[in-house]
Amino acid sequence: METLFSHLFSSQEPQRSQAYSLLHCCRKHFPDLVFIKLFYVIRQGLSADIRARSALVLRFVLCDLWPRLSLNAQINMKNNFLVSLQEEGSLPTLRILCAIAGIRDFWGRNWFHDLLRGMMVGLFNLLSHLKEDYARGALKELIMLVMEEPRLLKPYLNELVLDVLKIADSEHVTEGTKVFVHKFLLTVAEASDLALTMRGLPHQTLVRLLTVPMKLLLCACYNKESDQGANVGKTDLGIAYLTKISTALGEKTMTPIAFELFLEYMDASNWKKRHTGISMLAVIAKECSGEMVIALR
């Protein structure tokens, strides 16, 4: 099988043509066996290049073969897919597997939910083993998933946002990785297809979501004198967060949450926290001015 996959990507035409003919024959007559062999190589192949090529072949044959697979083969594929996401250490192979996750017509809601949970478990495993370079790659793929297939995420948006917020709150994750966390949350806020779903998220989730830019503004306030460059960057990011979240949630949803946080920050003895509350109020005033007037009355 490794030889077959290497020939499929050969620069020599005779080898490539023969390999495609053999693959077509296997797809037609032995669909279940093709998947068994593909996943065996994806999980057991000694070469990262071979595993990546096997994943590419899987993506190529999936469209035609999925409806023809037996129920046992579909279950076996799902289980192997989830394990592969958690165990694979090659970033190119992980990227291909994550791209396959975007093929939406071949599994039901429970299948995609299990797949998404497997992706998040794999991400947390990478972070716990201090493999942040790979974790950032996984976050990039999640960002691409939000951009390209936002409707797939609607039923699971709350738990996905909560998982990512755990990373944002972690003291053991570097600022470099948190940049991708912030990018993910901003991408969610920018996705028009997710706006209605965001407004329906539980109140506590929305409070935690809004706390992220508040922490950025507060951190910028603390670092104002010591590191002007970092201060400007975090201030701009915090403002961008608040603006985009305000737009996504709309003033009716945003104003009560913002007002709740505003009162909390204004009651603080620390002047920097009070300053952060005022900054937040100034940022969202344009988006929520009408509702804010009613709330303040």
Side-chain angles (χ1 to χ4, degrees), residues 50 67 96 134 227 259 265:
I50 286 292
I96 298 167
Y134 290 110
D227 191 343
F259 193 61
Y265 274 69

Side-chain angles (χ1 to χ4, degrees), residues 23-35:
L23 180 63
H24 177 72
C25 180
C26 293
R27 289 165 62 186
K28 183 177 180 181
H29 298 289
F30 311 102
D32 288 14
L33 185 59
V34 170
F35 274 100

Side-chain angles (χ1 to χ4, degrees), residues 69-177:
L69 291 180
S70 66
L71 179 60
N72 286 338
Q74 291 182 352
I75 294 173
N76 183 56
M77 176 187 170
K78 182 178 80 168
N79 293 336
N80 277 280
F81 205 105
L82 295 175
V83 173
S84 297
L85 283 172
Q86 296 176 36
E87 293 183 348
E88 179 57 53
S90 166
L91 187 56
T93 306
L94 274 174
R95 284 178 173 171
I96 298 167
L97 291 174
C98 288
I100 293 172
I103 303 176
R104 61 181 183 268
D105 297 328
F106 307 103
W107 10 280
R109 180 167 296 182
N110 292 335
W111 172 201
F112 185 75
H113 179 259
D114 290 345
L115 178 60
L116 191 60
R117 296 313 309 153
M119 293 170 67
M120 295 311 298
V121 169
L123 175 57
F124 282 116
N125 284 340
L126 289 171
L127 291 172
S128 66
H129 289 87
L130 303 180
K131 296 182 179 180
E132 293 203 25
D133 286 343
Y134 290 110
R136 292 169 191 171
L139 285 167
K140 285 182 182 178
E141 297 304 326
L142 282 174
I143 291 168
M144 292 301 297
L145 186 59
V146 174
M147 294 173 64
E148 296 177 0
E149 297 287 351
R151 75 178 189 87
L152 277 175
L153 301 176
K154 287 183 179 182
Y156 321 109
L157 188 62
N158 183 57
E159 59 183 299
L160 184 59
V161 168
L162 288 175
D163 281 341
V164 175
L165 287 173
K166 289 179 185 177
I167 302 174
D169 292 337
S170 174
E171 297 179 357
H172 305 292
V173 175
T174 65
E175 289 297 319
T177 298

